[in-house]
Amino acid sequence: MRVAVVTAGQTKFGSFPGKGVKGLFVEALHEALSNVDKELKLSDVKEAFIGNLGVGGAQLGNPAALLVEQGGMPSVSARRVENACASSGFAFRDAYRAVKNGADLVLAGGVEIMNDLSSAHQRYWLGVSGDTEWERLAGATFAGIYALMAKRHMHEYGTPREALAMCAVKNHRNAVDNPVAQFRKAVSLDRVLNAPMVAPPLGLFDCCPTSDGASVVFLASEEKAKEITDSPVWILGSGASSDYLAIHDRQSITTLEATRRAAKEAFSLSGLTPEKIDIAEVHDCFTIAEILAIEDIGFYEKGKAANAVLDGETERNGTIPINMSGGLKAKGHPLGATGTGQIVELWKQLRNEAGKRQISDAKIGLAHNVGGSGATCAVHILGGEM
Amino acid sequence: MGLTHLTIHYPRFKLSSADLRAFYPSPALSTYSYIGKFGIDEDATTLAVNAFLDLVETVGEMPKRLYLSTGKDFNSAVFLDATGINSSDVVHVPIGEVGSLQTIWEASRNEGCAFLVVDSPRGKNEKVDAYCSAAAVTGFVGKGGVEISSFDTFESASYSTSRYGSQGFDPADESMLISTVKEHLVPNSINFINFSSLKQSSRMIPNLEIKGQKTNGFSGITSGLVSLFSWLHLDFNSDVQLSIYAIDENGGASLSLQPSEKPIVIINDRRKDISLPTYLMQKEHAGNESIPQGAFISTPVYFSQKGARYRLNTAKCKDCGFIHFPPRQICKNCGSQTVSGKPLKRYGKLYTFTKILKGAAPPEFDIQQALEGDYCVGLVEFEEGPKVISQLTDVEYEDLEVDMPMKMVFRKIYRQDETDRYGYKFTCV
């Protein structure tokens, strides 16, 4: 039985601390509902999976029930899914499996508010998704952890700093044409390279912003999908995996094994290979993460992504356009909302509705969502009507 | 029988002499620009642990008994946990000039034993810390080495009880000590003499005119021992006799040494430039800050892994022998259960590294960052296999390179719940 994404919507990502999680979630829900081609009745929704990391510690208990009742679905079976930055990637996977198991209409979404906190409070709860007891006690931050990976990647493969910077330049340029992106402004390579350092070799422009936002998608069985849309987007493959939280427990820190395994599962389920992918939204919380992602998914051999990026292969007109939305880097990264936010972008691209950033003839897309420094990863492959 | 192995840990701040004089308006400081280093991650406890671990490593065995002379700010429980020495093998002696000399004397009578003298400025008493050394001096007593031939006490009741008045020693006490030294002089000797008067230069003692004799002044017993044992390393000469004289509120004492055989001396003499404003800020905080908000790693959770944090204890797979650090219950390699393994040796190489820049550190490191600047973090790969993430201390980012050799040091991590949390950091070898 095939599972379809029947509609999708998201808020703008950016700084909206005053909207609150309820406000943001309901806004994303309305956006998804207004994108419905035919008719979707909320009373038909059987299950809801909502990705969220922590809303700054303010609503740690029962947030999913709170959000769906605010959205007009007080009785739906709802739960929060928490896998750090991969929360809604996993919410999406759980929703997919729920449809497979007979729930014919399911909501997957995510929401996060990060800008309502003082800087110290923000830094407190941002660092809690690694192996806190060891990594945090070393004074490491997430930028620090990715910087350690970047430094090692440079050491092992000669990856130039410019390749990292080009990921940021490209993603900023892509976001210019994305009305929901946080930063819709191009930046020059020079500016990225000369930005203040956060954790060398990563500078300010190598890091994604702190963002507020929400995203909602609906999944339906093939039968149910017909009531809702004539142009569903099919889920061709789903893969997910975990890994050691602490990078010191991993054999290699230049590969995210969770990505490799999740991608392998998704490709195997879909019967596809990396060459068949037309467009991908990958988890670029830091520029090095985009390099790791496109290697570990299998678009490039290990150590070869840097040159491909420098040669423009991941640009809009390249062989494998990466992060047409602007990615986490420029579209924004409201942790819990990011995974299903990637699905929103693919849903639009695969339905030829992505406006100025539309990749022509995009038939198959891949979404790659990572939690923490690679402790969790969900990969999904989507395809339009063929 | 004598001192065969010595280690000295002697970290110092270097202030510009103008800065130092502005702060301590004493003519004696015109030739002086070092101050004992205290700070966020070092204190008497960490100095003692690091010096003692180095001693045990050089000697190759744990001493049968340790004569330990420490000040008030010494955390004995942490010292025992971090070094692994049994508390029943430790004889505690309070710090003091006379007490410390006596400690060394007693240890020197017992082959296979060791002494450790440690003191550090508290960072609060303005008049004291210009002269106080942050130092740990430790030695092992074995066959051969530097024999300690005598320990004498003198004038026990005559000295003033105000060890540190606003101007240091009572001048009468100083005169008395000088006469004592003169009375005991032997030909061809080198004497280390205790002076703490701010009127005197610490290094040169102009009013002690002893013809044909070399004299070296010192202000506190740890800096005196540093000078004495540094001489054994740098200027060793078996034809001279060495003496060290000291007074405190308990009286006066001297120790005579016969350097018949050169000992192995490890000197860890770290110097760090510091500006006056930073120095004053550090002095104000001196690592006593409790962290109001941080990633809440609870006190029980922190201390449940004390063995790993202090001593690099491992877990070893009972089937395949795979070594895990940090310890874990199920083997990563084969899935069997693990049992406790040997502690890792303290050496490894730098696998990767970065620097956490201002404003980005987790809030529990805010104070450290404000006081000591940005800090480096790295992954270190141990000789035994495991890797670990750690803060890198006493290093400059620009000097770091992948694969360079690193050594574990014991440091204060931060303070939470009114408790100092100690653990490992790494530094370049």
Side-chain angles (χ1 to χ4, degrees), chain A residues 73-89:
Chain A
M73 299 169 272
S75 60
V76 72
S77 152
R79 81 282 290 144
R80 165 187 177 213
V81 178
E82 193 285 298
N83 265 354
C85 319
S87 293
S88 59

Side-chain angles (χ1 to χ4, degrees), chain B residues 186 189-193 228 241-245 255-257:
Chain B
V186 293
S189 64
I190 296 175
N191 302 285
F192 294 84
I193 302 166
L228 175 70
Q241 189 187 314
L242 299 173
S243 292
I244 181 164
Y245 293 87
L255 211 53
S256 296
L257 295 84

Side-chain angles (χ1 to χ4, degrees), chain A residues 15-187:
Chain A
S15 181
F16 313 110
K19 288 190 178 182
V21 279
K22 300 175 198 171
L24 284 171
F25 179 80
V26 170
E27 191 179 320
L29 176 65
H30 282 168
E31 185 62 26
L33 293 175
S34 68
N35 289 338
V36 170
D37 296 332
K38 291 150 93 178
E39 195 190 9
L40 187 155
K41 281 193 274 205
L42 286 182
S43 54
D44 288 349
V45 177
K46 305 294 191 305
E47 302 282 345
F49 297 87
I50 297 176
N52 172 252
L53 176 51
V55 203
Q59 182 70 48
L60 289 176
N62 276 333
L66 175 73
L67 295 169
V68 294
E69 55 101 329
Q70 292 288 316
M73 299 169 272
S75 60
V76 72
S77 152
R79 81 282 290 144
R80 165 187 177 213
V81 178
E82 193 285 298
N83 265 354
C85 319
S87 293
S88 59
F90 276 81
F92 187 72
R93 178 176 166 91
D94 290 349
Y96 165 73
R97 298 198 147 195
V99 176
K100 283 265 184 196
N101 281 332
D104 62 357
L105 183 60
V106 175
L107 180 154
V111 63
E112 206 76 52
I113 288 213
M114 303 170 72
N115 286 301
D116 60 343
L117 302 171
S118 70
S119 137
H121 198 164
Q122 205 170 74
R123 282 179 291 136
Y124 156 59
W125 77 276
L126 278 184
V128 296
S129 302
D131 188 349
T132 317
E133 212 194 306
W134 299 97
E135 297 188 308
R136 176 77 172 241
L137 273 163
T141 56
F142 261 96
I145 299 280
Y146 273 97
L148 293 173
M149 297 184 194
K151 186 81 193 174
R152 187 70 196 182
H153 200 279
M154 289 170 156
H155 175 78
E156 288 180 11
Y157 304 107
T159 310
R161 165 102 173 84
E162 285 72 19
L164 304 187
M166 274 312 294
C167 294
V169 171
K170 165 181 71 69
N171 291 347
H172 271 269
R173 198 160 47 218
N174 289 343
V176 172
D177 292 328
N178 187 356
V180 295
Q182 185 162 1
F183 297 132
R184 301 187 63 193
K185 226 173 157 183
V187 293

